[in-house]
Amino acid sequence: MTKKLKIQLCLFAVSLVLNIWGIMSILQVGMGVNVGLTYLNTIKDFHIILCYVIIVITMAIGIMSASINAGQLDNKKWMKGLTIGVTAYSTVLTVPLLLAFICFAAYPVDAGANYGTGLGEFLDGMFGTIAKDLGTIFGPEALGGNGSNGLLMTIYVLGILMSIIFLAFPIFSAWLQIKGMTIGDLFKKKIETEGAKENG
């Protein structure tokens, strides 16, 4: 077994384990399905947002491992197929995260509020628990009464920016990978171009 194959198998194992764990965690925390990860219920009772932070970090590592593994495949068809598959999977997971933070920013609520009726009822069912938890931590009544809607809105904007990066970076990386390039190659080309200009 070559060193490259060992690395590929290791990356595949890490990706598989972390993504399965992430999906099971979403079922446990977000849908109330008992899949045996009962320790998450304890974290959820403290602050549900902590559960989602753990899930996002874990699945991000799993997705990056799968993406790196795809880029190391010698078979071009397999490389392109797995790269597109991983990118599509990442996009499907990230779009709801982006929509959630956009909804939070458009319809801010504090710890004790509800979204209301109509569209608000839909938002409350989808994101209400998370929004109220963020309100508990960063809202006007948080931080010993020193919180503000401005602080809460800052968290929402940072969440939107983070989601956009999580959405755009894998798509851009996949495009480069299919073209047979890496982000490192782009930086190297940029440095070489700037060097040529200075010398010219």
Side-chain angles (χ1 to χ4, degrees):
M1 185 181 294
T2 64
K3 183 178 179 180
K4 182 177 180 180
L5 181 57
K6 288 180 181 179
I7 293 173
Q8 288 176 328
L9 290 174
C10 183
L11 287 171
F12 176 76
V14 169
S15 174
L16 186 64
V17 169
L18 293 183
N19 278 288
I20 290 175
W21 182 90
I23 292 171
M24 290 175 65
S25 298
I26 292 172
L27 292 173
Q28 183 86 34
V29 175
M31 300 183 181
V33 179
N34 186 5
V35 294
L37 304 179
T38 52
Y39 67 92
L40 287 172
N41 294 336
T42 303
I43 301 175
K44 181 179 177 180
D45 291 338
F46 178 63
H47 278 302
I48 190 172
I49 193 64
L50 292 178
C51 293
Y52 285 105
V53 169
I54 294 170
I55 291 169
V56 167
I57 292 173
T58 303
M59 297 195 76
I61 295 172
I63 289 169
M64 283 190 290
S65 299
S67 180
I68 293 170
N69 194 26
Q72 292 186 349
L73 294 177
D74 295 324
N75 186 303
K76 296 299 181 183
K77 288 184 178 180
W78 278 97
M79 183 273 286
K80 289 181 180 180
L82 186 56
T83 297
I84 293 171
V86 170
T87 305
Y89 172 69
S90 172
T91 301
V92 168
L93 290 174
T94 308
V95 167
L97 182 67
L98 175 60
L99 292 177
F101 277 109
I102 290 174
C103 288
F104 294 162
Y107 300 92
V109 295
D110 58 35
N114 291 309
Y115 277 110
T117 58
L119 176 61
E121 289 178 334
F122 170 75
L123 296 176
D124 194 46
M126 290 290 291
F127 310 121
T129 305
I130 303 172
K132 291 168 192 174
D133 195 39
L134 286 171
T136 301
I137 301 171
F138 301 107
E141 302 304 319
L143 306 177
N146 295 320
S148 68
N149 281 330
L151 177 59
L152 198 56
M153 189 60 67
T154 299
I155 298 299
Y156 294 159
V157 171
L158 290 174
I160 291 172
L161 292 175
M162 176 194 71
S163 302
I164 291 172
I165 292 171
F166 280 4
L167 190 63
F169 186 76
I171 294 173
F172 181 61
S173 297
W175 178 78
L176 287 176
Q177 213 158 264
I178 291 172
K179 293 287 185 180
M181 300 173 63
T182 66
I183 292 177
D185 293 333
L186 284 184
F187 281 113
K188 185 179 178 181
K189 187 176 180 180
K190 178 71 174 177
I191 292 170
E192 290 175 349
T193 302
E194 293 297 327
K197 287 181 180 178
E198 291 177 2
N199 295 329

